[in-house]
Amino acid sequence: MRLWIGLHLSQLPLEVFQPNWSDDGASVVLEHEKVLAASRAARVAGIKLGMRRGGVLMLLPEARLYDRSTANEEAAIHTVAIAILKYTPQVTLAEESTILLEVGASLRLFGGARALCKLVRADLCGLGFSGYVSCAPTARGAWLLARFRGGRVLKVETMMRHLDRLPVISVPAARPFANWFEGIGCETISDLRRLPRPGLQRRCGRQLLDTIDCALGAAPELFEWIELPTTFEAKIELFDRVESVDLLMAGAQRLMLQLTGWLCGKRLAAERVTLRLEHERGRKARPATAVDIVFAEPVWQGEHIVRLMKEQLGRVELVAPVIQLALEVSQLQPMAPPSESLFVDPGGTREDQVRMLELLVARLGADNVLQPLPVADYRPEVANAWVSIQQKVREADVTAKLPPGLNAHMRPTWLLAKPIALLIRDHRPFYGSPLRIVSGPERVEVGWWGSTASRDYFIAEGQDHALYYIYRERISAESEGGSLKWFLHGLFG
């Protein structure tokens, strides 16, 4: 089933426009003496669509006026189009600030048309825009519904009833003939469809009939899908000089939405992203503050990237106010296919475990989250080596470094920094309670070239059923006439 979502941007944020009035006051945006959008204060003052500049300033002298910037508008619309590429690769830019998405193949993945429209609307708000979202079986039908306050229909018959109620001037090709349609009493698209087609074509041209036919599904539609740049770099100017890290998250989230859409559109995953905090320019210029995020596994999910970004920003100390944010990707990998396992792994999937480790690294630092990298030595204190979680360690490297026969013995991963000498009571080692030997011994006699170790390791159990990794020194026992010394070397979880 083919299904289209129409997204009409009804109001753009003020940073899209160019200011031409420096006084503080209500914000009013003008396009060739026509009001495009007004703040609440301007609407209360009586400013309406179509008023001239002089009339606006007469009603609200403290108004701050803005001129339209076509280039900024196009860049803003293209930004939204890139961000919603994560829902479908078939996205096209239509006229009058409208974006069209073919989502027929994405419905099951995102939970149906209602859920998908809700996600698109949430992303639109997250980018700082407002608009109307529609859903229809044809692209032109979705465009017409989005231009007139949205709507969601799934069947052609239902869509025809909705379109028939729209005014005839909602079709762009009919606007030059608005006075003629008004003169003959043709007010809605339903009235337009009842007019004779040959006469209507001679009077208004073929484009009007083609638009109606495409909207009703009676004619094919051709589109040019948007093309993504080969590299990603997005910037956003902040509304003021920001001195708080918490206030930067809103702008960072907008950049992350664009990054997620670009990654999905390119079928790529990010290994490292960099957020640059731009400071003052000119005479008081300062170098930008770079916040690097390194992922244990390539990712493309926006929620996970935002979570790590929040943790990283929380550890940043601003040396100067921030005026601009810039995001770029420095390392990329092809997007990995989803897991082929039928059942969910115990303890979560591998992706869940990787995300948890990345979150710990962001909170605690890379030097405080470690992974094992054994050394080829039989002595536990030497073999039990740990490295940073961000260091690439292959499983083959770990197993290759293990001495032969070591896997036959159970060893704890938690070793004490220095062994603790144990008391002897009733000829048994004592640690809070008498210890009972349950496994062993494992004899270790190595280090003849230095740091000689001659020990017998055992696994002992206390009265609380906790397991302890203990050993006795054979060298000290022989040198002191058979007096055994026991030590606690590790604990089992």
Side-chain angles (χ1 to χ4, degrees):
M1 180 182 69
R2 300 203 69 180
L3 196 65
W4 292 81
I5 287 181
L7 181 58
H8 172 63
L9 280 65
S10 61
Q11 183 171 333
L12 303 177
L14 287 181
E15 57 261 27
V16 173
F17 304 94
Q18 301 291 337
N20 62 11
W21 193 268
S22 59
D23 292 345
D24 295 334
S27 300
V28 181
V29 184
L30 301 181
E31 177 201 14
H32 306 301
E33 307 297 336
K34 182 196 294 185
V35 177
L36 280 181
S39 66
R40 179 176 301 179
R43 292 194 297 269
V44 172
I47 298 176
K48 298 181 180 180
L49 191 68
M51 293 183 63
R52 295 182 178 274
R53 186 187 304 268
V56 172
L57 295 178
M58 182 182 66
L59 294 175
L60 194 62
E62 66 275 15
R64 185 173 53 196
L65 306 180
Y66 288 80
D67 286 335
R68 184 178 184 180
S69 174
T70 305
N72 289 349
E73 283 189 27
E74 293 177 354
I77 296 172
H78 197 262
T79 295
V80 178
I82 291 178
I84 59 180
L85 273 172
K86 59 185 174 182
Y87 302 117
T88 175
Q90 296 178 326
V91 177
T92 183
L93 302 179
E95 61 270 28
E96 300 183 8
S97 304
T98 305
I99 305 172
L100 298 175
L101 303 79
E102 206 288 306
V103 295
S106 307
L107 294 179
R108 179 175 295 182
L109 178 62
F110 294 99
R114 182 191 298 270
L116 189 52
C117 290
K118 186 177 181 180
L119 291 173
V120 172
R121 189 178 293 107
D123 284 352
L124 185 65
C125 295
L127 291 169
F129 299 87
S130 60
Y132 300 106
V133 179
S134 67
C135 185
T138 63
R140 183 55 61 177
W143 184 91
L144 288 170
L145 292 176
R147 283 292 288 112
F148 287 85
R149 301 188 177 276
R152 188 177 65 254
V153 292
L154 304 181
K155 296 182 180 180
V156 176
E157 296 79 9
T158 308
M159 180 190 64
M160 292 175 61
R161 292 196 298 269
H162 282 74
L163 295 181
D164 283 343
R165 293 194 291 265
L166 296 180
V168 68
I169 58 173
S170 60
V171 182
R175 293 171 189 170
F177 311 97
N179 293 333
W180 179 73
F181 283 120
E182 183 180 359
I184 64 174
C186 181
E187 299 179 353
T188 64
I189 293 181
S190 177
D191 299 334
L192 178 65
R193 293 175 56 202
R194 287 195 291 265
L195 295 176
R197 291 177 63 91
L200 189 61
Q201 179 177 347
R202 289 193 300 268
R203 178 76 182 190
C204 303
R206 183 66 191 178
Q207 184 179 0
L208 177 59
L209 294 179
D210 290 342
T211 302
I212 297 298
D213 292 340
C214 291
L216 301 179
E221 300 174 284
L222 300 178
F223 305 98
E224 293 184 3
W225 311 117
I226 64 171
E227 296 183 2
L228 293 176
T230 56
T231 59
F232 178 85
E233 184 176 2
K235 298 180 180 180
I236 180 174
E237 293 280 351
L238 300 180
F239 58 90
D240 200 354
R241 291 175 174 83
V242 178
E243 300 180 359
S244 173
V245 175
D246 295 336
L247 298 178
L248 298 177
M249 273 308 300
Q253 288 180 353
R254 293 174 62 175
L255 296 177
M256 289 299 178
L257 288 174
Q258 301 177 46
L259 173 61
T260 304
W262 184 85
L263 290 175
C264 292
K266 285 289 189 178
R267 306 298 297 171
L268 295 173
E271 288 186 320
R272 178 192 293 266
V273 298
T274 302
L275 179 67
R276 295 197 311 272
L277 312 181
E278 304 286 349
H279 303 294
E280 293 286 348
R281 304 186 182 95
R283 185 176 301 177
K284 298 181 180 180
R286 286 179 174 268
T289 302
V291 181
D292 290 328
I293 303 180
V294 182
F295 306 102
E297 294 287 340
V299 297
W300 61 89
Q301 298 87 355
E303 298 82 3
H304 184 54
I305 300 177
V306 169
R307 190 182 303 115
L308 293 181
M309 177 65 71
K310 185 176 181 181
E311 295 293 340
Q312 292 282 13
L313 283 177
R315 302 170 57 190
V316 173
E317 294 184 3
L318 297 180
V319 297
V322 181
I323 61 175
Q324 179 177 274
L325 297 177
L327 183 68
E328 61 183 8
V329 185
S330 53
Q331 294 182 14
L332 293 168
Q333 288 289 340
M335 187 180 293
S339 175
E340 297 179 355
S341 60
L342 178 61
F343 302 101
V344 179
D345 298 331
T349 62
R350 188 176 186 278
E351 290 77 9
D352 296 334
Q353 298 170 8
V354 169
R355 293 175 187 175
M356 181 193 67
L357 291 176
E358 289 176 342
L359 186 59
L360 290 176
V361 170
R363 291 185 178 181
L364 306 178
D367 296 334
N368 297 320
V369 183
L370 307 177
Q371 62 179 333
L373 184 61
V375 178
D377 199 295
Y378 285 98
R379 291 167 294 182
E381 65 272 17
V382 178
N384 192 28
W386 297 78
V387 297
S388 172
I389 193 68
Q390 292 186 348
Q391 180 175 337
K392 298 296 183 180
V393 177
R394 298 179 302 173
E395 186 176 353
D397 296 336
V398 176
T399 56
K401 292 185 177 182
L402 294 177
L406 189 61
N407 290 327
H409 303 283
M410 183 185 301
R411 288 185 173 185
T413 55
W414 186 6
L415 293 181
L416 301 179
K418 184 178 181 180
I420 300 176
L422 297 177
L423 300 175
I424 303 297
R425 293 184 181 179
D426 298 330
H427 308 287
R428 296 171 61 184
F430 185 91
Y431 186 74
S433 64
L435 301 181
R436 181 176 63 89
I437 304 299
V438 296
S439 178
E442 174 195 352
R443 179 157 294 182
V444 175
E445 287 185 321
V446 292
W448 55 267
W449 55 91
S451 301
T452 304
S454 180
R455 310 166 187 162
D456 288 334
Y457 278 91
F458 300 86
I459 298 176
E461 181 182 7
Q463 291 183 352
D464 56 354
H465 302 291
L467 296 180
Y468 302 91
Y469 193 54
I470 64 175
Y471 69 88
R472 62 186 179 189
E473 285 281 6
R474 299 181 64 249
I475 294 180
S476 63
E478 296 173 357
S479 62
E480 298 179 12
S483 175
L484 298 178
K485 287 187 177 182
W486 291 86
F487 296 87
L488 174 64
H489 204 178
L491 302 172
F492 289 91

